[in-house]
Amino acid sequence: GILSLLLDAQTLPLNEAGEAKLLASLRPLAERIAKHPVDARTTVPLAYEDRAFAHIVGHVLSDRYAKEGRIDKEVATILLPQRLTNFVSLPNPGEYGGAFDRMQRATPAEMEKIRRYTMAPKTDYDRFLLKGFPYSFNKLTEIEGTRSLDTHDFKGASKVLKQMKEEKNNNDLIAFGEPLRAYAVDGFQLPATLAEGITVKGLPAQGGKLAFAEAMAALEPQVKNPKTDEDYRAAYVYAKGLYNMGSRGNSWELSQYDRYNFYQEVPAKDRPKNEFYTANAARKLFEKVGTGAPDPELRARALFMAALSLQQTTDWSYDTGSPTGSYFTDNRYFKELKKNYTSTQFYQDAVGKCSFLRDFK
């Protein structure tokens, strides 16, 4: 029973022979839990044996695998009790509250271990752990590829996401469309026509994560040190891609690990700090275009988008839906637009449609 499982989980060597003995303790308890009606498995508090099983497998055993650097079986043993019991209130939820949380903190090499393990279980113990494993090859690959998207490593993301099967048949995520969630003080939403008009030959108008990563990687050579008008147009489009990965962009799903569960990931240590919420990388690039592009219309568009990027960090009133911070009242990009670009066609269009710009003093 439970005491035998606890003793085995704490003392047996985690080799093939030890895991075979573990299976003899694990299987009867798991089969007993699986016979419960689903409603009974989700009742809190669960039966003592069910809670004990969840803790022993989800913490004691998984911790041992973690200490040995075996993330594949660490994740599988975290998932097993959660899948059987739906019991999510395990101790230390911030550290080991779920396999998904653990995979968010995994390195690319660790994710590759998990993928290999799920594709080729070798023993009865492995097949037992992986029965009903909810992460398919495609999902694991997408999680791994999105880690690279989050760090703006678009070449790395392309390399990983190419391994997904039928990736192009997944739901499209708009890659370079204009932001549809740039809210103004009167509830106005920026119409797509307002900032359209800048395109770069050969890039897709829409697509999934792979199409987006490949397009961003193709733009990078022009973006690093723009010199020509075409370079600046490419930099503007690239900045739009960065902006739309953020919380107020229209393609924020691009930065989510699982497109079927839009959960904001734990920031990786090497991820651009708070980029999902601040759009700093996009703003800096828009600013570069707004000060260096030969075409005044392109400069005006870029300054407008830099202004929206800056406003992403402002405070908002939940009562009025209006911005309350200085990023709205003291936006240097709007100031520059009103000072030097009122004669552009873009400004004439924007000031009549965007209450952000129209109300700016």
Side-chain angles (χ1 to χ4, degrees):
I2 286 296
L3 291 178
S4 296
L5 176 61
L6 177 60
L7 183 62
D8 290 346
Q10 289 177 325
T11 62
L12 285 173
L14 298 180
N15 54 26
E16 189 170 331
E19 289 174 345
K21 293 180 180 179
L22 263 173
L23 181 58
S25 297
L26 278 169
R27 198 195 300 272
L29 290 168
E31 289 177 347
R32 185 185 64 79
I33 293 172
K35 292 178 181 178
H36 295 340
V38 173
D39 290 344
R41 291 188 233 164
T42 57
T43 302
V44 178
L46 298 172
Y48 165 76
E49 285 193 342
D50 293 352
R51 286 186 288 125
F53 176 89
H55 180 82
I56 292 169
V57 180
H59 285 275
V60 176
L61 192 53
S62 67
D63 284 357
R64 288 188 65 195
Y65 282 121
K67 289 176 182 177
E68 293 189 4
R70 299 165 68 180
I71 189 174
D72 45 5
K73 294 188 181 182
E74 177 191 354
V75 167
T77 49
I78 293 172
L79 266 175
L80 178 63
Q82 292 182 326
R83 179 170 54 80
L84 286 172
T85 66
N86 286 328
F87 185 65
V88 296
S89 300
L90 294 172
N92 304 320
E95 183 177 5
Y96 288 109
F100 194 65
D101 292 342
R102 179 62 185 93
M103 286 190 286
Q104 289 164 352
R105 295 179 285 109
T107 66
E110 287 177 328
M111 287 300 299
E112 184 60 25
K113 279 186 179 180
I114 299 171
R115 290 201 302 166
R116 287 200 304 266
Y117 179 63
T118 58
M119 292 177 67
K122 297 178 180 179
T123 67
D124 286 345
Y125 178 79
D126 295 333
R127 286 185 281 275
F128 169 79
L129 288 183
L130 293 172
K131 185 178 180 181
F133 193 81
Y135 293 97
S136 66
F137 175 86
N138 268 14
K139 282 193 175 185
L140 288 169
T141 305
E142 183 170 358
I143 291 171
E144 185 176 352
T146 307
R147 291 179 59 85
S148 295
L149 284 178
D150 278 342
T151 58
H152 298 169
D153 176 11
F154 298 110
K155 289 183 180 178
S158 299
K159 182 178 179 180
V160 173
L161 294 171
K162 281 180 180 177
Q163 300 173 53
M164 291 180 68
K165 301 172 182 177
E166 300 181 348
E167 194 274 344
K168 292 183 179 179
N169 292 333
N170 285 326
N171 294 333
D172 279 343
L173 302 172
I174 301 172
F176 297 104
E178 301 301 338
L180 303 180
R181 298 171 58 186
Y183 299 107
V185 290
D186 56 4
F188 169 84
Q189 285 189 321
L190 176 70
T193 55
L194 199 157
E196 282 179 349
I198 304 300
T199 58
V200 176
K201 185 178 179 180
L203 292 182
Q206 61 184 18
K209 289 183 177 181
L210 173 58
F212 177 76
E214 289 179 330
M216 293 292 277
L219 287 169
E220 281 181 340
Q222 292 175 277
V223 168
K224 291 181 180 179
N225 187 25
K227 295 179 180 179
T228 67
D229 181 66
E230 182 62 25
D231 289 343
Y232 279 105
R233 292 165 72 87
Y236 177 82
V237 173
Y238 186 93
K240 287 199 298 181
L242 295 180
Y243 182 95
N244 279 319
M245 292 175 70
S247 62
R248 293 189 189 168
N250 64 4
S251 301
W252 57 272
E253 295 96 331
L254 288 163
S255 62
Q256 305 302 295
Y257 281 165
D258 183 348
R259 73 180 69 196
Y260 310 105
N261 177 21
F262 301 131
Y263 174 84
Q264 178 55 27
E265 67 288 340
V266 178
K269 64 179 180 179
D270 56 347
R271 183 174 186 246
K273 187 177 181 180
N274 298 323
E275 192 63 33
F276 183 79
Y277 296 108
T278 64
N280 280 327
R283 177 183 57 79
K284 291 176 182 178
L285 191 51
F286 282 129
E287 182 178 301
K288 180 183 287 188
V289 176
T291 56
D295 180 6
E297 292 289 340
L298 178 57
R299 292 201 302 272
R301 291 175 185 275
L303 288 169
F304 182 85
M305 287 304 303
L308 295 186
S309 301
L310 187 63
Q311 285 181 346
Q312 229 175 273
T313 60
T314 194
D315 296 323
W316 289 74
S317 167
Y318 288 101
D319 295 326
T320 64
S322 302
T324 60
S326 62
Y327 288 105
F328 176 72
T329 58
D330 186 25
N331 192 311
R332 60 187 180 275
Y333 304 110
F334 276 153
K335 282 184 178 180
E336 179 71 10
L337 270 173
K338 285 208 165 186
K339 181 180 178 181
N340 295 317
Y341 291 91
T342 55
S343 62
T344 61
Q345 184 61 49
F346 176 81
Y347 183 90
Q348 295 301 315
D349 189 21
V351 77
K353 293 180 178 179
C354 178
S355 62
F356 268 150
L357 179 59
R358 185 172 63 247
D359 296 344
F360 184 77
K361 306 298 183 185

